[in-house]
Amino acid sequence: MQNGPEDKEAPFSAASDFMRKEGAFSVYVQIWSASVLGVEGRLIGVEVNIASGLPMVSVVGLPDPAVRESVERVRSAVQNAGMQFPLQRITVNLAPADIRKEGSAFDLAIAAGILCASGQLDPERFTDTVLIGELSLNGEVRVVPGVLPMVEKARLAGMRRVVVPQGNAAEAALIGGIEVAVLGSLADWLPGVGAGERPYAGDAAAEAEAAADGGAARFDLSDVAGQHQGKRALIIAAAGMHNLLYVGPPGTGKTMLCRRLPSLLPPLGEEESLAVTKIYSACGKLDGARSGLIRERPFRAPHHSVSAAGLIGGGPSPKPGEATLAHRGVLFLDELPEYSRAALEALRQPLEDREVTIGRARGACRFPAHFMLAAAMNPCPCGYCGADVDGRACACSEAAIHRYRAKISGPLADRIDLQVELPRPARPDPSERRLSSAEARQQVMAACERQAARYRGTGIRWNSELQGAALHRLASPTREANRLLAEIYAGLALSYRAHDRILKLARTIADLAGSDRIEAEHVAEAAQYRCLDKAP
């Protein structure tokens, strides 16, 4: 048997894409397609065998209902495109057979295999080619989700060309090193009539314009009146990608501040852009009208009714959740105690490991989840604990306040670097000069440049990523700073994780100040952002 391109995850291992055997009773053809497993692409061999016997079509290889229904879509598409659907026994195998196949992206490859096996198309035209697309009943090729990771996998496997729907062409072209062709309808394959696949020629100017427009901020920090400490905490969080929690009564600007985080963060790098775009492609959330990679850092704000599976991913065939959609960006949880305990506790492992691991009987799926957690909460159920003004005194008992805050477990609170109390602000002063997002972003970018120079070649990008020996080697506190940190550790009875979080935070504060060493004042400022470690 002749097999497919050399690839550890491919179902075959030799050098060609298909094999056709003609005998007295059967014809066999193999075409390449692809699917998405988690957020990564995977090559799938579509084997088609036509044999003599009663007319029927069988699809095997763990197909889901959408794949099984492809038989009727392919039959109608072939007939309406002006070609013949064989009235023989047809068997379609999707290999490897032990992986569940989902979605409609195999339609085009199944149709091509049947047409090649029945002698209506020359199989040589599909050498080193991956076919991806859904078919409508009239033969048109429709867009499918997940094309970007599929095309990336095809390139890594040594494929020469990929055929995709017109609506997915710009997305597929983001992967260099592989030819992208477009097919509008099966009628384009009519021998002597159709033009066949057309090479895709993208609009480079439009892509560059889309990339340039992608960073426009909808919210500006100057919209927030007062709350200077809250703004300072926001700048620190953005400079080191630290997790952030605001605690304060209603109307203090907690949500406003968090929603302005994207305007302070640096743009995505090339590698980060590709990773984020792959995730949105695999989840079917990539804007089909856009061209070019996603350049803005994601900002996800799920409602507090979200389930644990919706937050971190899951399901019978695991799918990414909001934590993965926030990869390299911000996951914002407003009214944090209103989320279910199960959902919040499920975040503990992603916050530490920066990936989500979901185990199932057939194996484990790993989803990237390197995000900044930004959250907001009231100090008590009624919201006015510590803010007794204008006749709105807190009506909550100490027990009620304790139960409310206990919804945020100690291990989860330990993973939040900045825990900031926001007081009720004074009446806005029209003459006040407010810090803009552009000015704050300059501070953030300067701190990011210092981090990039310090961590060059280490694989570390942000201070929040420091851990273990690297933290104590690269944080560089002075003797006075170390002594103060030891006193704070003992005085607040902190966990060692909280101790290290304060040290990372102090490193970012030092970067914002332009200091190579962590001074005592940097540790003192970092330690004040631990309001959950105090009694309510």
Side-chain angles (χ1 to χ4, degrees):
M1 177 183 289
Q2 295 179 347
N3 301 325
E6 184 175 354
D7 176 15
K8 291 182 180 179
E9 295 189 7
F12 306 99
S13 60
S16 96
D17 306 286
F18 63 87
M19 180 181 73
R20 175 170 177 160
K21 274 182 162 182
E22 295 193 37
F25 302 101
S26 67
V27 180
Y28 169 88
V29 171
Q30 179 189 314
I31 304 291
W32 286 103
S33 188
S35 66
V36 176
L37 185 63
V39 295
E40 298 296 331
R42 189 178 185 96
L43 288 187
I44 301 296
V46 179
E47 301 174 297
V48 177
N49 188 79
I50 298 181
S52 57
L54 293 175
M56 66 174 297
V57 182
S58 299
V59 181
V60 297
L62 284 182
D64 76 342
V67 179
R68 288 195 295 268
E69 291 169 357
S70 67
V71 172
E72 300 307 321
R73 291 194 298 272
V74 170
R75 187 196 312 273
S76 297
V78 168
Q79 293 172 342
N80 290 326
M83 292 177 277
Q84 297 295 318
F85 192 87
L87 296 177
Q88 295 167 291
R89 185 181 181 88
I90 303 173
T91 303
V92 178
N93 180 45
L94 306 176
D98 61 339
I99 297 176
R100 185 168 179 80
K101 317 302 186 307
E102 298 180 333
S104 56
F106 306 112
D107 287 8
L108 187 59
I110 292 173
I114 291 174
L115 294 173
C116 289
S118 61
Q120 299 177 70
L121 292 180
D122 182 2
E124 293 291 339
R125 71 190 298 167
F126 301 121
T127 301
D128 293 331
T129 299
V130 175
L131 304 181
I132 302 169
E134 176 186 331
L135 292 176
S136 67
L137 297 185
N138 65 357
E140 292 181 357
V141 185
R142 291 175 170 170
V143 299
V144 294
V147 164
L148 189 63
M150 295 183 202
V151 175
E152 182 186 46
K153 185 62 179 179
R155 184 199 63 183
L156 294 175
M159 291 294 185
R160 173 182 58 86
R161 189 175 67 132
V162 60
V163 178
V164 297
Q166 177 66 48
N168 291 124
E171 178 184 345
L174 296 175
I175 304 297
I178 187 169
E179 177 187 342
V180 177
V182 174
L183 185 70
S185 170
L186 287 187
D188 294 337
W189 278 344
L190 281 171
V193 179
E197 309 91 29
R198 306 181 307 280
Y200 173 71
D203 187 347
E207 293 177 8
E209 182 180 354
D213 293 343
R218 292 185 299 160
F219 303 111
D220 195 274
L221 196 58
S222 61
D223 299 334
V224 183
Q227 298 297 12
H228 302 294
Q229 186 183 29
K231 292 177 181 179
R232 170 66 175 173
L234 199 70
I235 292 172
I236 296 171
M241 288 295 282
H242 297 285
N243 299 325
L244 169 68
L245 170 66
Y246 286 125
V247 181
T252 55
K254 304 185 296 295
T255 301
M256 286 186 69
L257 285 166
C258 288
R259 288 196 175 275
R260 278 143 186 82
L261 257 176
S263 67
L264 273 60
L265 294 171
L268 293 168
E270 287 298 322
E271 186 177 342
E272 292 176 322
S273 293
L274 180 59
V276 171
T277 309
K278 278 174 53 180
I279 291 169
Y280 277 72
S281 173
C283 296
K285 296 182 180 294
L286 198 61
D287 183 2
R290 71 175 298 135
S291 56
L293 297 172
I294 294 175
R295 299 294 180 180
E296 295 180 73
R297 293 191 180 273
F299 184 89
R300 303 293 300 181
H303 190 260
H304 63 256
S305 61
V306 66
S307 66
L311 193 59
I312 68 163
S317 297
K319 301 295 183 185
E322 292 291 338
T324 298
L325 291 170
H327 181 61
R328 297 296 179 183
V330 180
L331 177 64
F332 174 48
L333 304 183
D334 202 3
E335 303 299 339
L336 189 64
E338 302 302 327
Y339 289 80
S340 72
R341 182 66 178 257
L344 293 179
E345 293 305 300
L347 283 175
R348 286 163 53 177
Q349 182 255 342
L351 286 172
E352 201 72 27
D353 299 340
R354 299 185 177 89
E355 70 173 11
V356 174
T357 303
I358 299 176
R360 292 292 182 266
R362 292 186 175 273
C365 281
R366 288 182 173 83
F367 302 132
H370 192 333
F371 59 87
M372 178 204 301
L373 175 64
M377 62 177 283
N378 293 327
C380 65
C382 77
Y384 292 100
C385 179
D388 300 341
V389 291
D390 297 336
R392 292 183 174 180
C394 176
C396 303
S397 65
E398 289 188 11
I401 296 174
H402 177 76
R403 285 194 302 270
Y404 182 77
R405 294 198 176 189
K407 295 180 180 180
I408 314 301
S409 69
L412 180 60
D414 260 359
R415 290 166 169 82
I416 301 177
D417 304 340
L418 293 109
Q419 306 161 7
V420 186
E421 288 184 306
L422 291 185
R424 180 179 181 271
R427 183 177 180 274
D429 181 1
S431 62
E432 174 193 2
R433 185 190 178 280
R434 301 179 185 178
L435 184 70
S436 70
S437 289
E439 294 170 322
R441 195 179 190 192
Q442 288 180 357
Q443 301 178 40
V444 171
M445 294 301 294
C448 290
E449 290 173 4
R450 296 182 67 86
Q451 292 173 75
R454 183 188 308 120
Y455 303 135
R456 186 171 290 113
T458 65
I460 298 172
R461 170 75 188 275
W462 308 95
N463 289 328
S464 59
E465 298 174 9
L466 287 170
Q467 57 183 347
L471 170 62
H472 297 283
R473 185 178 71 255
L474 298 171
S476 304
T478 63
R479 181 176 300 178
E480 292 76 11
N482 256 329
R483 185 184 301 115
L484 178 60
L485 184 56
E487 293 174 0
I488 293 169
Y489 175 73
L492 293 180
L494 300 175
S495 70
Y496 204 72
R497 180 187 289 114
H499 170 280
D500 284 355
R501 297 267 174 179
I502 290 176
L503 191 56
K504 298 176 193 180
L505 200 59
R507 178 65 269 174
T508 300
I509 294 171
D511 285 333
L512 286 167
S515 174
D516 292 332
R517 300 292 301 276
I518 298 175
E519 304 290 345
E521 59 264 29
H522 304 145
V523 172
E525 182 179 358
Q528 73 173 329
Y529 300 120
R530 302 293 305 180
C531 71
L532 293 187
D533 293 322
K534 307 170 187 176

